[in-house]
Amino acid sequence: MRATCFGYGALRYNSGFGHNSMSNLIVLGSQWGDEGKGKIVDLFSEKFDVVARYQGGHNAGHTVIVKDQRFVLKLIPSGVLHPGVKVVIGNGVVVDPLALLEEIAMLEKAGVDVRGQIAISNRCHVIFPFHRMVEKVSEAREDRQAIGTTSRGIGPCYEDKIGRRGIRMGDLLNTPIFDALYDMLAEDKATTAKAFGIANDLHLEEIRALYKQMAERIRPLVCDTAKLLNDAIGRGQRVMFEGAQGTMLDIDHGTYPFVTSSSAAAGGACTGTGVAPTKIDGILGVSKAYITRVGAGPFPSEDFTEAGERIRQAGREFGSVTGRPRRCGWFDVPLLRYTAMVNGFDSLIITKLDVLDGLEEIKVCTGYRVHGEVTDEMPAENALMEKVEAVYEMVPGWPDSPTAGVTSYEALPRQAQDYIAYLEAKTGVEVGCVSTGPERNQTIVRAGSKMEKLLDLA
Ligand code: IMP
């Protein structure tokens, strides 16, 4: 079977007349956010005019390697590494201006024209240092279960958003309005700080001054991005919506309360950008050939044995934002079926297949045993989810013929192709793309797949 191999600069998008209008895609993680989306989004970006983030903040960590240079992007969509691609930080994202300016400076140093490419929504909520303070206090409380957050102030900023007392990017740029809103929010945080005996750590007036300074540097980048995106779509341009975190960290559909505070699932792409569901043409899920998770919370197929440690070392599984070792385990079919349902995946991208090289056998979780009963449904309650025991099947590995760096589907060992076919059969979702290493050209899009059509590669 023929397959398309991506090389650096190998893909060119077709804009203008004759452009395929079936083209606005959401790309998001199928599990807990470390699916290797960074490389995929970066690679696919070549085919799009605009790449938009719709939720989360600088808690995300997308690692992209371009010509031996390693970039960890936390807030800015990785599409920025492609000259000419517009990148958007949508209204659903929460922005820490300091983190944003630092990331811009890092990219500018590497020669990227960030300011020429980026647009930030005037409806984004702004993260302040006191959001980190609130998070620290709440994670440390003995009467609460720690979520193991990234300590970036993400959750408390979303709390203020939902509590209708948050400050949006547009407000930050309007001094009298900012001052009034800031006074109200600061009072709120001062009360919290007082209650926890840390009032002296709050430097409210310094923060105000700093934010006003930063606002001036960000001002030229801020606009109504819902309008920008809808205008772009109206002109026939292609937009990719880049999910951060992953479906199981979604505030509604994930393993609540061990989730992030935003709508990471596909539905969030619409609310988080102001682009209607009718404008979305396809949804691509990303999963590793195994599974990892950082932070606390249920993980039915986690492997605590040497095998899990082997995956951690072979896959270099350490969080790109916090450096924490990732928890490692096996592909989980019930979980994937659930995330395919809530997102409506058209096709799957399986990353890091090469990490399984050398294994005689591969474990796959095919069911959950809950209170003695085997089910393939995802329990909603944390109390039940914690009790789930994974039921496994063993699948032959490919101990003697590595997949690392393989660039065509036919050249993959037979057992690796069988593993992919097995995942497709069990999950009911096509695997349209396989990644066999960190480089761009170590990515195979399967000929005849739905993914190939959606990416306009056919
Ligand atoms: P928060 O997003 O910092 O509030 O953290 C909530 C949970 O989401 C914690 O378990 C984090 O480890 C996890 N998390 C947040 N962002 C990411 C990410 O980009 N990848 C993987 N896990 C994440």
Side-chain angles (χ1 to χ4, degrees), residues 225-263:
T225 51
K227 175 144 176 41
L228 181 151
L229 287 167
N230 281 288
D231 285 351
I233 291 170
R235 285 196 302 275
Q237 292 197 328
R238 312 184 61 170
V239 179
M240 172 167 41
F241 300 86
E242 171 183 352
Q245 288 79 53
T247 312
M248 295 311 286
L249 288 173
D250 180 279
I251 187 76
D252 288 283
H253 303 292
T255 44
Y256 191 90
F258 298 97
V259 291
T260 192
S261 299
S262 62
S263 297

Side-chain angles (χ1 to χ4, degrees), residues 289-351:
Y290 50 96
I291 292 187
T292 61
R293 174 170 200 174
V294 279
F299 180 176
S301 63
E302 183 166 14
D303 191 315
F304 298 97
T305 71
E306 245 171 55
E309 185 55 34
R310 187 206 160 277
I311 292 180
R312 185 173 304 114
Q313 296 306 331
R316 279 184 268 143
E317 295 297 353
F318 298 89
S320 40
V321 172
T322 58
R324 292 178 287 180
R326 292 182 179 138
R327 302 159 62 193
C328 297
W330 303 103
F331 193 92
D332 182 333
V333 171
L335 186 141
L336 201 292
R337 287 171 65 91
Y338 171 75
T339 59
M341 175 184 77
V342 299
N343 291 309
F345 290 147
D346 289 296
S347 189
L348 277 181
I349 298 147
I350 297 289
T351 64

Side-chain angles (χ1 to χ4, degrees), residues 32-35 37 53 56-62 74 135 139 147-156 158 244-246 249 257-262 292-297 319-322 324 326-327:
W32 287 286
D34 336 294
E35 294 85 1
K37 300 181 295 295
R53 273 275 303 267
H58 63 308
N59 49 349
H62 288 174
K74 296 173 187 156
E135 182 163 4
E139 282 281 275
I147 305 297
T149 67
T150 57
S151 313
R152 301 290 188 271
I154 307 290
Y158 278 114
Q245 288 79 53
L249 288 173
F258 298 97
V259 291
T260 192
S261 299
S262 62
T292 61
R293 174 170 200 174
V294 279
S320 40
V321 172
T322 58
R324 292 178 287 180
R326 292 182 179 138
R327 302 159 62 193

